[in-house]
Amino acid sequence: MTTATETLPHGGVVPMPVHFDDLDAMGVLHNSRYAVLVERAIVLWWAARGVSFSGGRPTTPDAFNVVREYSVTFHRPVRGTGQISVHFWLESMGTTSADYRFRVTSADGATVFAEGRRVNVRLDPATMRPAPWTEHGRTLGSELLRG
């Protein structure tokens, strides 16, 4: 069996569990949980590269960012609990923003449940205004850029 990470030409894939409390009354993944799963997958990817929070403080300036836009299109319901995958990549990385695209898929990547867009903006913690990504953040982000 081919895994999603072996077939993707760009971005990252993070396996994510769907728990019982993620489901709605019909036994399918609640629409609000998609954003949470995408958030957690992206955070795990960056944290594995040293960009996270420790003791309530960012480990690097690039960890201090917020979501500016978020949209999702649902194609098929995720039924029940189990493992899914979140495939995400950067369409572009501007001076202060990062334009992500994502797909929520079956664990093997064969079924696309939802896809969407998410834009993050790096902030200066003192002014809470947009601030440029660091060179280190840009280097890491380049790993996610789509061709």
Side-chain angles (χ1 to χ4, degrees):
M1 176 165 87
T2 305
T3 65
T5 53
E6 293 171 330
T7 62
L8 297 175
H10 58 276
V13 176
V14 176
M16 297 298 298
V18 173
H19 299 285
F20 179 76
D21 60 352
D22 293 324
L23 306 179
D24 65 14
M26 296 176 292
V28 299
L29 183 61
H30 190 275
N31 67 81
S32 68
R33 302 307 287 172
Y34 286 82
V36 172
L37 291 168
V38 170
E39 171 85 15
R40 288 179 180 165
I42 291 172
V43 165
L44 285 169
W45 188 92
W46 282 94
R49 289 151 183 84
V51 180
S52 64
F53 281 77
S54 179
R57 299 195 181 280
T59 58
T60 71
D62 297 305
F64 203 85
N65 64 82
V66 295
V67 175
R68 179 173 184 193
E69 292 179 43
Y70 186 87
S71 66
V72 60
T73 300
F74 303 100
H75 298 294
R76 299 183 68 172
V78 174
R79 297 175 180 266
T81 60
Q83 214 50 29
I84 61 168
S85 289
V86 177
H87 169 214
F88 55 93
W89 62 93
L90 286 173
E91 275 296 305
S92 63
M93 190 167 194
T95 303
T96 63
S97 64
D99 184 354
Y100 287 92
R101 302 301 160 90
F102 63 86
R103 298 179 327 139
V104 177
T105 71
S106 55
D108 64 3
T111 302
V112 177
F113 298 113
E115 60 189 332
R117 176 177 187 228
R118 170 187 157 127
V119 177
N120 284 32
V121 176
R122 176 166 146 19
L123 297 180
D124 177 312
T127 65
M128 298 301 280
R129 299 289 305 150
W133 299 106
T134 66
E135 203 53 47
H136 178 67
R138 290 189 163 289
T139 300
L140 292 173
S142 70
E143 295 178 35
L144 293 173
L145 280 171
R146 183 165 131 166

